[in-house]
Amino acid sequence: MAAARDRQKSYADKRRKPLEFQVGDKVLLKVSPWKGVIRFGKRGKLNPRYIGPFEILKRIGLVAYQLNLPTELDGVHNVFHVSNLKKCLSDETLIVPLDEIQVDEQLRFVEEPVEIKDREVKQLKQSKIPIVKVRWNSKRGPEFTWEQNSIDEALKLLGSHWSIKGSLELITINTPPLEATKSLFPATLGAAKSLIQLHSSDLEHLSPGPWKNAHATFYGGSDGVDSMGGACGYEDIKQKGYGVQNTALSQTLFNNGQTCGACYEIKCVNNNQWCKPRSPPLIVTATNFCPPNLNLPNNNGGWCNPPNEHFDLSQPSFLQIAEHKAGITPIQYRRVPCARQGGMRFTITGNPYFTMVLVWNVGGAGDVTCMEVKGHEGVKWNTMSRNWGQKWVTNVVLVGQSLSFRVRASDGGTVTSLNIAPRNWQFGQTFEGTNFK
């Protein structure tokens, strides 16, 4: 065995050339695409990609080089083994522009599944495993891997607010209980025969849910100025892009500020005298809190008392669906996806020992249930605490570091914005990151 191994090594060494570079050469840096959905099975790598080119500043020892990296890679150590480098004249199809991806400190970026191209059932000795051929949103051409999958796992992954495209028909999941969603699939549409599109930017994270009954009132003047602040911390909501189509929520719906930023579709019902016929759908954003009045009964003045689900609309919003004289009217409402322009915004305030971040212009579900921050010097993400509304705080010292944010919405979707605030950020500044689709 040893002799055979030595012969093999000698044969390989004769044909192997050491890879060397000179100071000033331009090289490409290898990055690793990672699967963006781990519910299929193990999280793993896809074929490597390259970013650059970058200039070599210095040779370190025999097999390492120091590179001149841009500010977008401040969190990455700039010395690399030669195996991570590639000559700049390499295959251009492997090169990914740095502005198209977000690379973490371990030189990884996420590629997400686009669709399932094929299905098979792998036969083992005592069991059968359904597997699917997944196409990933590779930055340079299609890439496929075989993954484990099942209808149950897909439903758990997507949740009750996602829509699923099946191979026999388009099936939209709107019913919250998981058992109820299973009944929507034909018996013949099993795990091995499903065609499910799972790309996060194409799926409806929050498909419009079932209509629910409630009541609506209005507050403020006809110009909507009185609704410009609010208990969600958005301050000037017109400047933040929410406009006058906003609402305050009763205590039950407000849920201690967790619902701030959520979007609702509202229609006036069961009130022929005051409902405006053929009025277009009203979409409003939750930006304020309607406090309870426990001195009044729930059905006569205490509209926002728990457990009532009540909307106190801005007056311009109310007048889109009902007459001013109505005062209060029965409505039906449902959660809908929020359509926002541009990226998610992060406004940083506080002091060197107390950092507060207001997150706004959130698409998709609209609300934020968890927020994390990380400076480029840190290894772990720091979970922030909700201060009030959508203002999140941490006592971790972050001054002088480029900042990354990770946000999770109520539908389970998560987006990461890497190094969007440079090292010289200042309190009072706003930075734009990745948004939900």
Side-chain angles (χ1 to χ4, degrees), residues 243-318:
V244 296
Q245 293 198 178
N246 58 77
T247 184
L249 301 178
S250 63
Q251 183 172 332
T252 299
L253 290 173
F254 190 71
N255 195 18
N256 295 319
Q258 293 189 35
T259 322
C260 286
C263 295
Y264 296 88
E265 182 178 2
I266 296 176
K267 59 183 179 181
C268 184
V269 297
N270 302 328
N271 191 352
N272 294 333
Q273 182 180 6
W274 303 119
C275 287
K276 291 184 176 179
R278 296 180 296 279
S279 60
L282 172 64
I283 307 294
V284 293
T285 303
T287 61
N288 207 349
F289 173 54
C290 179
N293 187 346
L294 302 179
N295 293 321
L296 296 176
N298 291 10
N299 60 353
N300 187 16
W303 309 116
C304 293
N305 294 348
N308 287 0
E309 295 186 351
H310 186 85
F311 293 80
D312 199 18
L313 301 167
S314 66
Q315 187 177 146
S317 297
F318 186 89

Side-chain angles (χ1 to χ4, degrees), residues 90-156:
S90 303
D91 187 354
E92 294 185 359
T93 62
L94 297 177
I95 304 174
V96 180
L98 192 57
D99 58 358
E100 290 186 11
I101 60 175
Q102 292 180 330
V103 180
D104 65 15
E105 68 277 3
Q106 296 179 338
L107 293 178
R108 299 182 306 190
F109 67 96
V110 174
E111 288 191 345
E112 296 174 330
V114 177
E115 62 179 333
I116 294 175
K117 300 292 291 183
D118 197 4
R119 297 88 58 199
E120 289 184 5
V121 176
K122 188 175 182 180
Q123 179 68 57
L124 302 181
K125 287 184 178 180
Q126 298 181 348
S127 63
K128 296 181 180 180
I129 301 177
I131 57 176
V132 291
K133 187 177 183 181
V134 181
R135 181 167 72 88
W136 301 87
N137 68 331
S138 174
K139 300 299 180 182
R140 286 296 182 268
E143 186 161 1
F144 303 90
T145 60
W146 285 94
E147 308 285 349
Q148 295 184 27
N149 190 28
S150 68
I151 289 294
D152 288 345
E153 286 298 303
L155 287 173
K156 291 176 184 176

